[in-house]
Amino acid sequence: MSSSSPQASPASIPRSVYLGGLAIAVGGAVLFSTKAIVAKLLYRYQIDAVTLIAFRMIFSLPVFAVIACWKMRTEPPLSNSDRWRLVGLGLVGYYLSSYLDFLGLQYISVGLERLILFLTPTFVLLITTVYFKQRISRLQWLALFTSYCGIVLVFVHDLQGGASNVALGSTLVLGSACAYAVYLLGSGELVKRIGSMRLVSYAMCVASFACIAQFFILRPVELLIQPMPVYGLSLLNGIFCTVMPVFMTMIAVERIGAPVASQAGMIGPVSTLFLGAMILDEPITNWQLAGTSLVLAGIYLLSKKK
């Protein structure tokens, strides 16, 4: 692999394309963040992470499969190396990352989960700097620092709450963040060659088969029979929290590069804060509002392209 980065440089992107990509990244982050709240609602029905993620993929797989079949008919065949990369990306980015995330959510709060997951931009930036030898601008570091300060303020109360298995849950979600950072960078390289829709549909089919196979290996088939609200929430999880945001994230990576797209995703904790208040009746404090302002300030700094 060349030492030059495959990622788009913010300075080389037209401003209209950059802002459009940034908006898509923010929208995808908001939808992605709602999966934690949907997961908490599903856990009220006494299902576990293996069952939850299987239902999520059962409902999203048909969409990805249709798009994958269409792309197979209309696009040239992939090289063997790209096929193996897609298998790896699907297993790391959507199977392993999602499974560790949902597993960790059984032990920690939505707020703490969001805080840990948004270490992802740090991993992306560090890998980009060390491995791809790409210079990270001062503006990006400032935006990152500003948004992190806001996240800490938003969720500091979660860190102070003593709950059992917090260390286990935090470690699992940290592993999810690491896996997703690797996926973002790997997809940023491959998406330039095969396109975002093709990459996402193929990778998600791989992840879906892995998640569904895991369910049938580890759980009795009788667990497919669930109350109707489980099916409804799983449909929401599969389409609005999976299908739509993964395509939006890939389109954003294609337009503005993985480092900026992952940083723009910091709006996710803010959306989780307000959705948690509306759906889970969690209170919003002045400290949380102050943190929200800092996160939004960080997103604004990202929009100020040099």
Side-chain angles (χ1 to χ4, degrees):
M1 183 183 295
S2 171
S3 61
S4 61
S5 172
Q7 305 300 327
S9 172
S12 67
I13 305 171
R15 184 168 178 80
S16 60
V17 175
Y18 182 87
L19 292 178
L22 192 62
I24 293 171
V26 169
V30 171
L31 290 176
F32 245 143
S33 295
T34 59
K35 69 183 175 64
I37 292 174
V38 174
K40 285 294 188 183
L41 293 174
L42 281 166
Y43 283 142
R44 294 177 178 178
Y45 293 91
Q46 309 303 314
I47 68 173
D48 61 7
V50 171
T51 306
L52 187 152
I53 196 172
F55 273 104
R56 179 197 191 199
M57 295 309 195
I58 286 171
F59 281 105
S60 61
L61 176 59
V63 178
F64 293 119
V66 167
I67 296 173
C69 290
W70 168 51
K71 286 296 180 180
M72 289 174 65
R73 289 175 175 269
T74 58
E75 301 283 347
L78 297 174
S79 66
N80 286 333
S81 60
D82 282 346
R83 289 174 183 170
W84 283 112
R85 285 190 181 96
L86 277 169
V87 171
L89 287 174
L91 292 177
V92 172
Y94 292 124
Y95 165 68
L96 181 61
S97 178
S98 294
Y99 179 58
L100 292 175
D101 183 27
F102 286 123
L103 197 60
L105 271 169
Q106 293 182 112
Y107 306 110
I108 62 176
S109 67
V110 168
L112 183 54
E113 181 252 7
R114 286 292 97 187
L115 175 62
I116 296 170
L117 279 185
F118 280 88
L119 292 173
T120 300
T122 301
F123 300 141
V124 171
L125 286 172
L126 290 176
I127 295 171
T128 300
T129 303
V130 174
Y131 189 71
F132 291 125
K133 310 299 183 186
Q134 177 172 310
R135 177 181 173 273
I136 303 300
S137 70
R138 292 181 180 178
L139 187 63
Q140 284 179 277
W141 285 117
L142 179 60
L144 182 66
F145 176 76
T146 302
S147 294
Y148 265 80
C149 287
I151 292 171
V152 171
L153 281 178
V154 168
F155 295 122
V156 67
H157 66 286
D158 287 273
L159 298 174
Q160 294 173 344
S164 60
N165 293 319
V166 168
L168 174 59
S170 298
T171 301
L172 290 168
V173 177
L174 183 63
S176 173
C178 293
Y180 197 68
V182 171
Y183 164 75
L184 275 178
L185 286 167
S187 63
E189 174 191 0
L190 191 57
V191 75
K192 298 297 182 182
R193 294 201 299 274
I194 70 173
S196 58
M197 288 187 66
R198 199 178 186 190
L199 186 152
V200 170
S201 59
Y202 288 4
M204 286 300 298
C205 284
V206 171
S208 297
F209 284 121
C211 294
I212 295 170
Q214 176 183 251
F215 172 82
F216 285 108
I217 292 171
L218 299 179
R219 299 291 182 267
V221 70
E222 289 79 11
L223 285 181
L224 289 174
I225 307 300
Q226 297 288 341
M228 282 305 297
V230 171
Y231 299 128
L233 288 169
S234 296
L235 177 63
L236 181 69
N237 199 14
I239 302 301
F240 290 97
C241 304
T242 305
V243 173
M244 291 178 62
V246 295
F247 280 116
M248 293 170 74
T249 300
M250 277 300 94
I251 292 170
V253 168
E254 192 173 24
R255 292 189 178 190
I256 61 178
V260 178
S262 62
Q263 287 184 68
M266 284 189 170
I267 196 68
V270 179
S271 65
T272 304
L273 173 68
F274 288 101
L275 287 171
M278 290 187 296
I279 299 173
L280 302 177
D281 297 322
E282 296 178 351
I284 298 179
T285 67
N286 290 332
W287 283 101
Q288 291 171 325
L289 293 175
T292 298
S293 300
L294 284 173
V295 173
L296 293 176
I299 299 298
Y300 175 75
L301 286 174
L302 280 179
S303 71
K304 303 293 287 184
K305 182 174 74 73
K306 290 183 179 180

